[in-house]
């Protein structure tokens, strides 16, 4: 799908009672709104309303073979939509609310719009930890499909400014609660057919999932099973060069650790700080008057696996 040509006024409201009421009203009449979560800002709509979900795809220009994550307030609401096995329950109890998405067999009669699952027999579910998304879930009383609030394939938004830069004029409302805490999207784990597999790395490391369950965690297959699996994703408008120890001519250098750069993800080499700053740094670099973006090496361990996953996809030409 492509984004509509018509421009609409986009209102920006600080998070609070009035903003949640306004957002719930928009969602109640089949619209979509941008709302912060602890990971990135999401573009939320009623997951049971096909036309509302189509509005998400249209606003983002998102391909309709790419499924969406559905946000719910608690595990009970999630179990009404999907079939949980023992591994899924253990992960939900340990990690929800929080930055973990579970891909599970969809429950018959769930009422979820088929566009949400992109025709798959599974559904991606998350219980968010952010007060704004939790408040919106409870105000609407609906499961909310909410991919990142940005044009498809572009840099994910961790501030309201990023949302406005990408989707201003395409959506009616952005709830602003400042920068997000985690800075990168949730870890996605599939629990299907007795197997546990990581479909997307994120704030909760694969080894932590394996330790929690006491079993091996497999990897993703060849097909698209969850968001964030396209080869080119999270991409700035300028070319990205990785593993850079210094900038070349006319490059903006994003540093890490001993590599200072024009800006740094973390001068101390702190991966948590780096994850929180990653997309904001890419937005800043993309707006700089340079022909390219270079990024210093980031260790490919722990949270660094998720950071490097985003960087490698950002560096693939769209």
């Amino acid at each position: 799908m492509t984004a509509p040509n018509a421009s609409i006024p986009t209102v920006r409201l600080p998070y609070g009672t009035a903003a949640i009421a306004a957002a719930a009203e928009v969602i109640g009449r089949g619209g979509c709104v941008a709302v912060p979560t602890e990971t990135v800002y999401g573009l939320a709509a009623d997951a049971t309303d096909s036309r509302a979900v189509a509005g998400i795809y249209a606003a983002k220009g998102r391909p309709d073979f790419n499924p969406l994550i559905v946000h719910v307030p608690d595990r009970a609401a999630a179990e009404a939509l999907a079939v949980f096995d023992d591994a899924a329950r253990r992960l939900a109890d340990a990690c929800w609310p929080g930055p973990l998405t579970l891909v599970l067999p969809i429950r018959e009669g769930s009422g979820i719009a088929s566009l949400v699952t992109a025709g798959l027999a599974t559904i991606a579910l998350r219980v968010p930890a952010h007060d704004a998304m939790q408040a919106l879930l409870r105000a609407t009383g609906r499961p909310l499909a909410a991919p990142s609030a940005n044009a498809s394939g572009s840099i994910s938004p961790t501030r309201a400014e990023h949302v406005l830069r990408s989707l201003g004029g395409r959506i009616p409302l952005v709830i602003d609660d400042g920068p997000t805490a985690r800075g990168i999207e949730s870890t996605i784990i599939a629990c299907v057919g007795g197997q546990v597999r990581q479909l997307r790395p994120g704030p909760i490391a694969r080894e932590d999932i394996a330790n929690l369950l006491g079993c091996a965690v497999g990897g993703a297959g060849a097909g698209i099973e969850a968001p964030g699996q396209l080869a080119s994703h999270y991409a700035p408008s300028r070319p990205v060069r990785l593993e850079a120890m210094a900038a070349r001519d006319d490059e903006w250098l994003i540093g890490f650790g001993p590599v200072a750069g024009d800006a740094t993800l973390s001068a101390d080499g702190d991966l948590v700080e780096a994850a929180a700053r990653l997309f904001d740094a890419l937005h800043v670099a993309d707006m700089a008057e340079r022909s390219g973006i270079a990024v210093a090496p980031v260790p490919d361990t722990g949270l660094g696996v998720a950071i490097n996953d985003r960087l490698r996809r950002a560096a693939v030409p769209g």
Side-chain angles (χ1 to χ4, degrees):
M1 292 185 177
T2 58
N5 294 323
S7 179
I8 61 173
T10 301
V11 177
R12 177 180 181 176
L13 295 176
Y15 167 54
T17 303
I20 293 299
E25 192 275 330
V26 171
I27 288 173
R29 54 182 167 82
C32 54
V33 301
V35 58
T37 77
E38 74 276 24
T39 56
V40 299
Y41 276 68
L43 185 59
D46 182 352
T48 69
D49 182 339
S50 295
R51 293 187 66 180
V53 175
I56 292 177
Y57 281 97
K60 285 176 62 68
R62 184 184 178 96
D64 58 11
F65 58 78
N66 199 3
L68 305 177
I69 294 173
V70 175
H71 294 68
V72 291
D74 50 38
R75 196 185 102 182
E79 292 216 52
L81 302 177
V83 179
F84 279 63
D85 60 14
D86 287 343
R89 290 190 187 94
R90 290 172 65 186
L91 290 175
D93 289 343
C95 301
W96 281 353
L100 175 72
T101 294
L102 292 176
V103 171
L104 305 167
I106 192 166
R107 192 175 291 280
E108 186 175 352
S110 68
I112 295 296
S114 60
L115 269 176
V116 170
T117 62
L120 299 173
T122 54
I123 185 171
L125 293 169
R126 186 163 92 85
V127 175
H130 198 286
D131 288 346
M133 181 61 97
Q134 279 287 345
L136 187 57
L137 284 164
R138 298 188 186 281
T140 60
R142 313 297 281 175
L144 298 178
S148 57
N150 59 309
S152 184
S154 64
I155 309 168
S156 295
T158 57
R159 298 175 182 269
E161 293 89 340
H162 301 161
V163 179
L164 291 167
R165 180 184 173 206
S166 187
L167 296 182
R170 299 188 190 182
I171 61 174
L173 176 62
V174 179
I175 297 176
D176 185 356
D177 196 37
T180 62
R182 295 283 189 166
I184 57 173
E185 299 86 353
S186 60
T187 303
I188 301 181
I189 299 292
C191 296
V192 181
Q195 295 184 321
V196 179
R197 297 180 298 123
Q198 179 179 269
L199 304 184
R200 179 177 73 186
I204 302 173
R206 184 173 182 168
E207 53 266 33
D208 293 335
I209 299 292
N211 290 337
L212 182 63
L213 296 177
C215 68
V217 176
I224 301 296
E225 302 176 76
Q229 292 187 301
L230 296 175
S232 179
H233 204 38
Y234 317 111
S237 62
R238 306 172 195 278
V240 176
R241 183 172 65 90
L242 305 181
E243 304 291 324
M245 299 304 295
R248 294 175 182 169
D249 288 347
D250 205 34
E251 282 184 332
W252 178 278
L253 177 60
I254 299 174
F256 178 82
V259 180
D262 295 285
T264 183
L265 297 177
S266 174
D268 298 328
D270 184 327
L271 290 173
V272 174
E273 181 181 33
R277 291 182 173 179
L278 175 62
F279 289 131
D280 192 41
L282 286 171
H283 277 281
V284 171
D286 202 31
M287 291 187 289
E289 296 297 324
R290 307 287 175 86
S291 61
I293 300 169
V295 187
V298 176
D300 205 32
T301 58
L303 190 51
V305 173
I307 295 170
N308 283 311
D309 169 77
R310 302 327 190 257
L311 287 171
R312 282 190 289 269
R313 295 178 194 275
V316 174

Coordinates of all heavy atoms in Angstrom, one line a residue, residues 105-156:
P105 N 0.1 -19.3 18.0 CA -1.1 -19.6 17.1 C -2.3 -18.8 17.5 O -2.6 -18.6 18.7 CB -1.3 -21.1 17.5 CG 0.0 -21.6 18.0 CD 0.6 -20.4 18.8
I106 N -2.9 -18.2 16.5 CA -4.1 -17.3 16.7 C -5.2 -18.2 17.2 O -5.4 -19.3 16.6 CB -4.4 -16.5 15.5 CG1 -5.4 -15.4 15.9 CG2 -4.9 -17.3 14.3 CD1 -5.5 -14.3 14.9
R107 N -6.0 -17.7 18.1 CA -7.2 -18.5 18.6 C -8.3 -18.3 17.6 O -8.6 -17.2 17.2 CB -7.5 -18.0 20.0 CG -8.5 -18.9 20.7 CD -8.8 -18.4 22.1 NE -7.6 -18.6 23.0 CZ -7.2 -19.7 23.6 NH1 -8.0 -20.8 23.4 NH2 -6.2 -19.8 24.4
E108 N -9.0 -19.4 17.3 CA -10.2 -19.3 16.5 C -11.2 -18.4 17.1 O -11.5 -18.5 18.3 CB -10.8 -20.7 16.3 CG -11.9 -20.8 15.3 CD -12.4 -22.2 15.0 OE1 -11.7 -23.2 15.5 OE2 -13.4 -22.4 14.3
G109 N -11.8 -17.5 16.3 CA -12.8 -16.6 16.8 C -12.2 -15.5 17.6 O -13.0 -14.8 18.3
S110 N -11.0 -15.2 17.4 CA -10.3 -14.1 18.1 C -10.9 -12.7 17.7 O -10.8 -11.8 18.5 CB -8.8 -14.0 17.8 OG -8.6 -13.7 16.4
G111 N -11.4 -12.6 16.5 CA -12.0 -11.3 16.1 C -10.9 -10.3 15.5 O -11.3 -9.2 15.1
I112 N -9.7 -10.8 15.5 CA -8.6 -9.9 15.0 C -8.7 -9.8 13.4 O -8.9 -10.8 12.8 CB -7.2 -10.5 15.4 CG1 -7.0 -10.4 16.9 CG2 -6.1 -9.7 14.7 CD1 -7.0 -9.0 17.5
A113 N -8.6 -8.6 12.9 CA -8.7 -8.4 11.4 C -7.6 -9.2 10.7 O -6.4 -9.2 11.2 CB -8.5 -6.9 11.1
S114 N -7.9 -9.8 9.6 CA -6.9 -10.7 8.9 C -5.7 -9.9 8.4 O -4.6 -10.4 8.3 CB -7.6 -11.4 7.8 OG -8.1 -10.5 6.8
L115 N -5.9 -8.6 8.2 CA -4.8 -7.7 7.7 C -3.7 -7.7 8.8 O -2.5 -7.6 8.5 CB -5.2 -6.3 7.5 CG -5.7 -5.9 6.1 CD1 -6.2 -4.5 6.1 CD2 -4.6 -6.1 5.1
V116 N -4.0 -7.8 10.1 CA -3.1 -7.7 11.2 C -2.1 -8.9 11.1 O -0.9 -8.7 11.3 CB -3.8 -7.8 12.5 CG1 -2.8 -8.0 13.7 CG2 -4.6 -6.5 12.7
T117 N -2.5 -10.1 10.8 CA -1.7 -11.3 10.7 C -1.1 -11.5 9.3 O -0.3 -12.5 9.2 CB -2.4 -12.5 11.2 OG1 -3.5 -12.7 10.3 CG2 -3.0 -12.3 12.6
A118 N -1.4 -10.7 8.4 CA -0.9 -10.9 7.0 C -1.2 -12.3 6.5 O -0.4 -12.9 5.7 CB 0.5 -10.5 6.9
G119 N -2.4 -12.9 6.9 CA -2.8 -14.2 6.4 C -2.1 -15.3 7.1 O -2.3 -16.5 6.7
L120 N -1.3 -15.1 8.1 CA -0.6 -16.2 8.8 C -1.5 -16.8 9.8 O -2.5 -16.2 10.2 CB 0.7 -15.6 9.5 CG 1.7 -15.0 8.6 CD1 2.8 -14.4 9.4 CD2 2.3 -16.1 7.7
A121 N -1.2 -18.0 10.3 CA -1.9 -18.7 11.3 C -1.5 -18.3 12.7 O -1.9 -18.9 13.7 CB -1.8 -20.2 11.1
T122 N -0.6 -17.3 12.8 CA -0.1 -16.8 14.1 C -0.4 -15.4 14.3 O -0.7 -14.6 13.4 CB 1.4 -17.0 14.2 OG1 2.0 -16.4 13.0 CG2 1.8 -18.5 14.2
I123 N -0.3 -14.9 15.6 CA -0.5 -13.5 15.9 C 0.7 -13.1 16.8 O 1.2 -13.9 17.6 CB -1.8 -13.3 16.6 CG1 -2.1 -11.8 16.9 CG2 -1.9 -14.1 17.9 CD1 -3.5 -11.5 17.4
A124 N 1.2 -11.9 16.6 CA 2.3 -11.3 17.4 C 1.6 -10.4 18.5 O 0.9 -9.5 18.2 CB 3.2 -10.5 16.6
L125 N 1.9 -10.7 19.8 CA 1.3 -10.1 20.9 C 2.3 -9.5 21.9 O 3.4 -10.1 22.1 CB 0.4 -11.1 21.7 CG -0.8 -11.6 21.0 CD1 -1.4 -12.8 21.8 CD2 -1.9 -10.5 20.8
R126 N 2.0 -8.3 22.4 CA 2.9 -7.7 23.4 C 2.1 -7.0 24.5 O 1.0 -6.4 24.2 CB 3.9 -6.7 22.8 CG 4.9 -6.2 23.8 CD 6.1 -5.5 23.0 NE 5.9 -4.1 22.8 CZ 6.2 -3.2 23.6 NH1 6.7 -3.5 24.8 NH2 6.1 -1.9 23.3
V127 N 2.5 -7.0 25.7 CA 2.0 -6.3 26.8 C 3.0 -5.2 27.1 O 4.0 -5.4 27.7 CB 1.7 -7.1 28.1 CG1 1.2 -6.2 29.2 CG2 0.7 -8.2 27.8
P128 N 2.7 -3.9 26.7 CA 3.7 -2.8 26.9 C 3.8 -2.4 28.3 O 2.8 -2.5 29.1 CB 3.1 -1.7 26.0 CG 1.6 -2.0 26.0 CD 1.5 -3.5 26.1
A129 N 4.9 -1.8 28.6 CA 5.2 -1.3 30.0 C 4.9 0.2 30.1 O 4.9 0.7 31.2 CB 6.6 -1.6 30.4
H130 N 4.8 0.9 29.0 CA 4.6 2.4 29.1 C 3.2 2.8 29.5 O 2.2 2.2 29.0 CB 4.9 3.0 27.7 CG 5.2 4.4 27.7 ND1 4.2 5.4 27.9 CD2 6.4 5.1 27.5 CE1 4.8 6.6 27.8 NE2 6.1 6.4 27.6
D131 N 3.2 3.8 30.4 CA 1.9 4.2 30.9 C 0.9 4.7 29.9 O -0.3 4.5 29.9 CB 2.1 5.3 32.0 CG 2.7 4.8 33.3 OD1 2.7 3.6 33.5 OD2 3.2 5.7 34.0
A132 N 1.5 5.4 28.8 CA 0.6 6.0 27.8 C -0.1 4.9 27.0 O -1.3 5.0 26.8 CB 1.4 6.9 26.9
M133 N 0.6 3.9 26.6 CA 0.0 2.8 25.8 C -1.0 2.0 26.7 O -2.1 1.6 26.2 CB 1.0 1.9 25.2 CG 0.4 0.8 24.3 SD -0.6 1.3 22.9 CE 0.6 1.2 21.6
Q134 N -0.6 1.8 27.9 CA -1.5 1.1 28.8 C -2.8 1.9 29.0 O -3.9 1.3 29.0 CB -0.8 0.8 30.2 CG 0.1 -0.4 30.2 CD -0.7 -1.7 30.1 OE1 -1.9 -1.8 30.4 NE2 0.0 -2.8 29.8
A135 N -2.7 3.2 29.2 CA -3.8 4.0 29.4 C -4.7 4.0 28.2 O -6.0 4.0 28.3 CB -3.4 5.4 29.7
L136 N -4.1 4.0 27.0 CA -4.9 4.0 25.8 C -5.6 2.6 25.6 O -6.8 2.6 25.2 CB -4.0 4.3 24.6 CG -4.7 4.5 23.2 CD1 -5.8 5.6 23.3 CD2 -3.7 4.8 22.1
L137 N -4.9 1.6 25.9 CA -5.6 0.2 25.8 C -6.8 0.2 26.7 O -7.8 -0.4 26.4 CB -4.6 -0.8 26.3 CG -3.5 -1.2 25.2 CD1 -2.3 -2.0 25.9 CD2 -4.1 -2.0 24.1
R138 N -6.7 0.7 27.9 CA -7.8 0.6 28.9 C -8.9 1.6 28.5 O -10.1 1.3 28.7 CB -7.3 0.8 30.3 CG -6.3 -0.3 30.7 CD -5.9 -0.3 32.1 NE -4.8 -1.3 32.4 CZ -5.0 -2.6 32.5 NH1 -6.3 -3.1 32.4 NH2 -4.0 -3.4 32.7
A139 N -8.5 2.7 27.9 CA -9.6 3.7 27.5 C -10.4 3.2 26.3 O -11.6 3.5 26.2 CB -8.9 5.1 27.2
T140 N -9.7 2.5 25.4 CA -10.4 2.0 24.2 C -11.1 0.7 24.5 O -12.1 0.3 23.9 CB -9.5 1.8 23.0 OG1 -8.5 0.9 23.4 CG2 -8.9 3.2 22.7
G141 N -10.5 -0.1 25.4 CA -11.1 -1.5 25.6 C -10.9 -2.4 24.4 O -11.6 -3.4 24.3
R142 N -9.9 -2.1 23.6 CA -9.7 -2.9 22.4 C -8.2 -3.3 22.3 O -7.3 -2.6 22.8 CB -10.0 -2.0 21.1 CG -11.3 -1.3 21.1 CD -12.5 -2.2 21.2 NE -12.8 -2.8 20.0 CZ -13.8 -3.7 19.8 NH1 -14.5 -4.2 20.8 NH2 -14.1 -4.2 18.6
P143 N -7.9 -4.4 21.7 CA -6.5 -4.7 21.3 C -6.1 -3.8 20.2 O -6.9 -3.5 19.3 CB -6.6 -6.2 20.8 CG -8.0 -6.4 20.3 CD -8.9 -5.5 21.2
L144 N -4.9 -3.3 20.4 CA -4.4 -2.2 19.4 C -3.2 -2.7 18.6 O -2.2 -3.1 19.2 CB -4.0 -1.0 20.2 CG -5.1 -0.3 21.0 CD1 -4.6 0.9 21.8 CD2 -6.3 0.1 20.1
A145 N -3.4 -2.8 17.3 CA -2.3 -3.0 16.4 C -1.5 -1.8 16.4 O -2.0 -0.7 16.3 CB -2.8 -3.4 15.0
A146 N -0.2 -1.9 16.5 CA 0.7 -0.7 16.7 C 2.1 -1.0 16.2 O 3.0 -1.3 17.0 CB 0.7 -0.2 18.1
P147 N 2.4 -0.9 14.9 CA 3.7 -0.9 14.4 C 4.4 0.4 14.7 O 3.8 1.3 15.3 CB 3.6 -1.1 12.9 CG 2.3 -0.4 12.6 CD 1.4 -0.7 13.8
S148 N 5.7 0.5 14.4 CA 6.4 1.8 14.7 C 5.7 2.9 13.9 O 5.3 2.7 12.7 CB 7.9 1.7 14.3 OG 8.0 1.3 13.0
A149 N 5.7 4.1 14.5 CA 5.0 5.3 13.9 C 5.9 6.0 13.0 O 6.3 7.2 13.2 CB 4.5 6.2 15.0
N150 N 6.2 5.4 11.8 CA 7.1 6.0 10.8 C 6.8 5.4 9.5 O 6.1 4.4 9.4 CB 8.6 5.7 11.1 CG 8.9 4.2 11.2 OD1 8.2 3.5 11.8 ND2 9.9 3.8 10.4
A151 N 7.2 6.1 8.4 CA 7.0 5.6 7.1 C 7.7 4.2 7.0 O 8.8 4.1 7.5 CB 7.5 6.6 6.0
S152 N 7.1 3.3 6.3 CA 7.7 1.9 6.2 C 9.1 1.9 5.7 O 9.5 2.6 4.7 CB 6.8 1.1 5.3 OG 7.3 -0.3 5.3
G153 N 10.0 1.2 6.4 CA 11.4 1.1 6.1 C 12.3 2.1 6.5 O 13.5 2.0 6.5
S154 N 11.8 3.3 7.0 CA 12.6 4.4 7.5 C 13.0 4.2 8.9 O 12.6 3.3 9.6 CB 11.9 5.7 7.2 OG 10.7 5.8 8.0
I155 N 13.7 5.2 9.4 CA 14.3 5.1 10.8 C 13.1 5.1 11.8 O 12.2 5.9 11.7 CB 15.2 6.3 11.1 CG1 16.2 6.5 10.0 CG2 15.9 6.1 12.5 CD1 17.0 7.8 10.1
S156 N 13.2 4.2 12.8 CA 12.1 4.1 13.8 C 12.1 5.4 14.7 O 13.1 6.0 14.9 CB 12.3 2.9 14.6 OG 12.1 1.7 13.9

